[in-house]
Amino acid sequence: MERYWSVRDAKTWLMLLLVVLMALPATVLAQSADARREAFQAMPGTTPEFWRDAVEGVSGRTQSNSPGADTLIMVEGERWREIRNQWISPGGAIALGGSLLAITLFYLLVGQVKLENPRTGKKIERWTRWDRTIHWYVAVLFIILGVTGLSILYAKWFLMPILPTSVWAAWMTAAKNIHNYLGPLFAIGVLAMILKWLKHNFFNMTDLKWFLKGGGIVGKAHPSAGYLNGGEKVWYWVIVTVGLTVVVSGLVLDFPNFGQSRETMQLFLIIHAVASLILMAAAFGHIYIGTLGTEGAFEGMKTGYVDESWAKQHHDLWYDAVKKKTGS
Amino acid sequence: MARMKFLCDSERCIECNGCVTACKNANETEWGIQRRRVVTLDDGEVGKEVSISVACMHCSDAPCMAVCPTDCFYPTEDGLILHNKDACIGCGYCLYACPFGAPQFPKQGAFGARGKMDKCTFCAGGPESDPVLEEQKYGANRLREGKLPLCAEMCSTKALLAGDAQQVADIFRERVVYRGHRNSAWGSVEHEAAESEQLAQQAADLAYDATQSV
Ligand code: HEM
Ligand code: SF4
Ligand code: SF4
Ligand code: SF4
């Protein structure tokens, strides 16, 4: 077996480090210990000035046309690796797992928000055909992009060990292509959704009171709400901010034909991964509230109509307004 | 088992790009793919110009392997980092992590269409049992034939050395000892004779250790 580390190695490296330390600012040292180690082995016999330049990522001339080929050592690579593997991967798992756990606990402790009054059988239209089309278009693409994106980030830890190599390769190729081709379609849907629903989503005093009462989820309080309550508006603005961040960073990653540098891609991969993980963790909450968490909510987005007793309970001001308008 | 390593002696490299051409020829890589390149720093500045031939360094704790979403890299017994093109999805992550710009892609298309990653294999082919297919996908497997990488073999000044780390280090150490202090590693200042002898030895030891340690 190959010996990868020993006391003698440690002593050697300590000595090397001492020498290199004399020529290098400590910041660079912390950033790219690995690259320098490899380079030092492969390119000895150079001057300290050369070393300082090389490990700071100096560029020279080369006949190669590959992107970034004129840079001898790209020091940012190590940092990206560390951020992605040491922070984003575990952080994302904690965020997603934590979100699921919190929802489960909430469900077990508080349970479903039931209809307080029996159904009246009378329906009011809440979401038009257009609203529902946009919602489900975005939702389906979101789930597909989420599953394929998570495969790119995590599947090697749990799918790869159980799949034969050919199946594994086929799945990952599919995941990457599905993600990269459907991404721009998702972008169009999100934009349409943001524009279509903007008018419902400006905060007002009713929302403030709604927040002060904790949305009425806990306890007996039942705060007033218009067409959308404060919580729903927050979710809308999360889509606007975090969602658009995911979309924009995704589009930058999706079109390398514009010649983005490696450093640009690293940055946008970090932004894309962090934003999409936050969005997914938040989406778990949204999905829970819209399905299992609230009796009668799902049928609104499914059929477009809600029962009057649901409307009165959850969106009393909207209910009143609708009643006034229809004059009944 | 041997630990394979490259070593490029910047005192000798004359930027002839012979290694680049030799590699292209040995491995018949796709259009646009260049597994090895020569980088010249301070080009044209007398006394400062330095050229270095770079390809995949077959890193000990390889960054490419750590970020690959399909985990298609694998280390060999010789300490080489090879990869399985069947599982590669062309996401480019290995290129974003690699300090040396080693991974290469046949294209850079819209929707992240890059094709399969290709990089220096230390002329050791890849994971394919059929030799014809192996050659098509990964290029030459010279190591199996008992030969060393063609880039180093063809180097006109023997600046580029490739092979067992210990032997490569020995060759380099001998060179540094003969060259003396003035061209040696880390020794850019004039010194007394006795002192310079000592410095040369020190530099040689360093270089030796550098190539030795894995
Ligand atoms: C406009 C929409 C989107 C586009 C254009 C897009 C594009 C991309 C691209 C190009 C990558 C790099 C992977 C590769 O090239 O194969 C990526 C990774 C990823 N995407 Fe997206 N994406 C979009 C939306 C989303 C959404 C909505 C989610 C989550 C629900 C998501 C989650 C992820 C994740 C988790 C990764 C992996 C990041 C990593 O491995 O570091 N993406 N995306
Ligand atoms: S591709 Fe880059 S990171 Fe991977 S082993 Fe080669 S030099 Fe190291
Ligand atoms: S391009 Fe291929 S080898 Fe490189 S990280 Fe992506 S899947 Fe792995
Ligand atoms: S070892 Fe072989 S594949 Fe690698 S750069 Fe040299 S000739 Fe090319």
Side-chain angles (χ1 to χ4, degrees):
Chain A
M1 252 325 283
E2 184 69 30
R3 146 198 78 99
Y4 273 94
W5 188 255
S6 72
V7 179
R8 207 185 89 51
D9 286 342
K11 260 168 56 195
T12 309
W13 284 111
L14 226 76
M15 204 172 107
L16 273 180
L17 261 164
L18 267 174
V19 177
V20 178
L21 254 172
M22 295 192 291
L24 290 174
T27 46
V28 182
L29 201 80
Q31 267 172 20
S32 60
D34 215 47
R36 203 186 44 255
R37 180 171 145 180
E38 293 302 331
F40 191 86
Q41 290 177 24
M43 315 161 185
T46 46
T47 61
E49 294 84 61
F50 173 90
W51 266 109
R52 196 173 43 237
D53 290 351
V55 296
E56 277 171 4
V58 77
S59 293
R61 271 167 60 92
T62 182
Q63 306 298 321
S64 170
N65 288 327
S66 302
D70 56 352
T71 306
L72 195 56
I73 299 178
M74 178 195 55
V75 285
E76 292 85 356
E78 253 323 279
R79 200 172 46 204
W80 176 65
R81 167 196 178 169
E82 195 181 313
I83 293 175
R84 180 172 183 273
N85 287 14
Q86 250 68 62
W87 294 96
I88 295 177
S89 294
I94 291 169
L96 296 182
S99 173
L100 284 178
L101 191 74
I103 290 166
T104 313
L105 280 180
F106 186 83
Y107 180 69
L108 292 177
L109 292 177
V110 181
Q112 191 181 48
V113 179
K114 300 274 183 203
L115 281 176
E116 280 163 358
N117 299 304
R119 289 170 186 271
T120 59
K122 280 185 273 175
K123 305 276 185 188
I124 350 179
E125 187 178 32
R126 182 158 169 79
W127 302 105
T128 64
R129 186 169 290 274
W130 262 114
D131 288 327
R132 281 176 290 140
T133 308
I134 293 177
H135 178 271
W136 289 115
Y137 174 88
V138 170
V140 168
L141 284 177
F142 183 85
I143 291 168
I144 297 174
L145 288 168
V147 169
T148 52
L150 288 178
S151 289
I152 294 169
L153 190 55
Y154 292 118
K156 73 169 166 182
W157 304 113
F158 65 94
L159 268 188
M160 189 180 163
I162 57 170
L163 293 181
T165 307
S166 57
V167 181
W168 164 247
W171 164 248
M172 288 305 283
T173 307
K176 182 235 182 185
N177 286 325
I178 290 170
H179 196 92
N180 289 4
Y181 283 93
L182 294 189
L185 295 178
F186 174 81
I188 295 168
V190 169
L191 271 181
M193 182 187 255
I194 288 173
L195 292 177
K196 180 98 186 7
W197 292 348
L198 175 66
K199 61 173 186 284
H200 303 303
N201 280 286
F202 296 107
F203 288 104
N204 54 32
M205 282 313 284
T206 314
D207 300 321
L208 188 69
K209 283 183 220 141
W210 189 91
F211 284 123
L212 288 177
K213 289 191 184 169
I217 322 175
V218 200
K220 282 270 166 279
H222 227 301
S224 286
Y227 182 66
L228 295 178
N229 65 39
E232 287 170 302
K233 290 181 186 178
V234 168
W235 176 229
Y236 173 87
W237 289 106
V238 167
I239 303 274
V240 173
T241 50
V242 187
L244 283 184
T245 307
V246 172
V247 164
V248 171
S249 57
L251 290 174
V252 172
L253 296 171
D254 213 12
F255 295 95
N257 45 310
F258 292 110
Q260 297 88 318
S261 70
R262 290 171 291 180
E263 292 85 346
T264 306
M265 293 301 246
Q266 289 162 359
L267 179 67
F268 280 91
L269 273 165
I270 292 171
I271 295 174
H272 189 71
V274 171
S276 60
L277 287 163
I278 292 175
L279 202 60
M280 280 185 270
F284 287 162
H286 167 75
I287 293 168
Y288 168 76
I289 294 173
T291 56
L292 203 57
T294 320
E295 187 183 1
F298 186 73
E299 62 196 55
M301 202 43 96
K302 188 177 156 210
T303 64
Y305 290 85
V306 291
D307 196 274
E308 282 196 358
S309 78
W310 183 91
K312 227 187 286 182
Q313 181 178 338
H314 292 283
H315 300 274
D316 52 343
L317 300 179
W318 169 65
Y319 173 78
D320 293 345
V322 173
K323 284 284 127 182
K324 220 195 244 149
K325 219 162 78 194
T326 53
S328 58
Chain B
M1 261 293 148
R3 177 69 167 98
M4 294 297 179
K5 277 288 174 190
F6 287 118
L7 189 153
C8 184
D9 187 345
S10 58
E11 288 296 327
R12 285 191 175 210
C13 179
I14 57 170
E15 199 207 352
C16 69
N17 280 287
C19 49
V20 177
T21 316
C23 174
K24 256 312 213 189
N25 205 23
N27 297 296
E28 296 291 354
T29 51
E30 252 178 279
W31 179 256
I33 286 182
Q34 196 174 315
R35 291 183 177 180
R36 181 169 280 289
R37 69 187 196 276
V38 180
V39 178
T40 303
L41 302 182
D42 298 319
D43 194 17
E45 290 179 41
V46 180
K48 279 186 80 186
E49 183 181 300
V50 186
S51 292
I52 294 275
S53 174
V54 214
C56 172
M57 299 284 194
H58 300 278
C59 306
S60 302
D61 174 23
C64 53
M65 186 153 78
V67 298
C68 177
T70 68
D71 208 9
C72 72
F73 293 89
Y74 61 97
T76 70
E77 286 184 317
D78 291 331
L80 303 177
I81 302 294
L82 301 183
H83 74 293
N84 181 351
K85 283 196 182 183
D86 293 344
C88 171
I89 58 173
C91 64
Y93 287 12
C94 47
L95 175 64
Y96 305 144
C98 174
F100 303 106
Q104 305 277 301
F105 296 90
K107 52 188 184 211
Q108 263 204 330
F111 303 101
R114 296 180 180 82
K116 306 275 184 194
M117 190 275 278
D118 187 276
K119 73 168 186 68
C120 161
T121 63
F122 211 86
C123 287
E128 190 67 69
S129 42
D130 178 359
V132 180
L133 260 181
E134 182 189 22
E135 177 131 22
Q136 265 171 23
K137 272 190 189 167
Y138 303 101
N141 191 339
R142 292 171 55 85
L143 251 54
R144 187 176 52 209
E145 298 164 5
K147 298 171 183 160
L148 285 173
L150 195 64
C151 52
E153 298 257 300
M154 297 281 269
C155 179
S156 54
T157 63
K158 288 288 164 275
L160 184 61
L161 303 175
D164 176 60
Q166 178 136 15
Q167 289 177 23
V168 164
D170 285 345
I171 295 170
F172 183 72
R173 178 164 66 145
E174 210 181 319
R175 267 186 205 174
V176 175
V177 170
Y178 280 117
R179 281 211 293 253
H181 78 283
R182 273 211 293 178
N183 291 332
S184 66
W186 317 106
S188 52
V189 213
E190 292 287 338
H191 295 281
E192 293 303 314
E195 200 185 342
S196 66
E197 193 54 41
Q198 196 195 339
L199 273 168
Q201 187 56 46
Q202 209 178 330
D205 285 346
L206 269 175
Y208 173 76
D209 286 336
T211 30
Q212 260 275 298
S213 311
V214 178

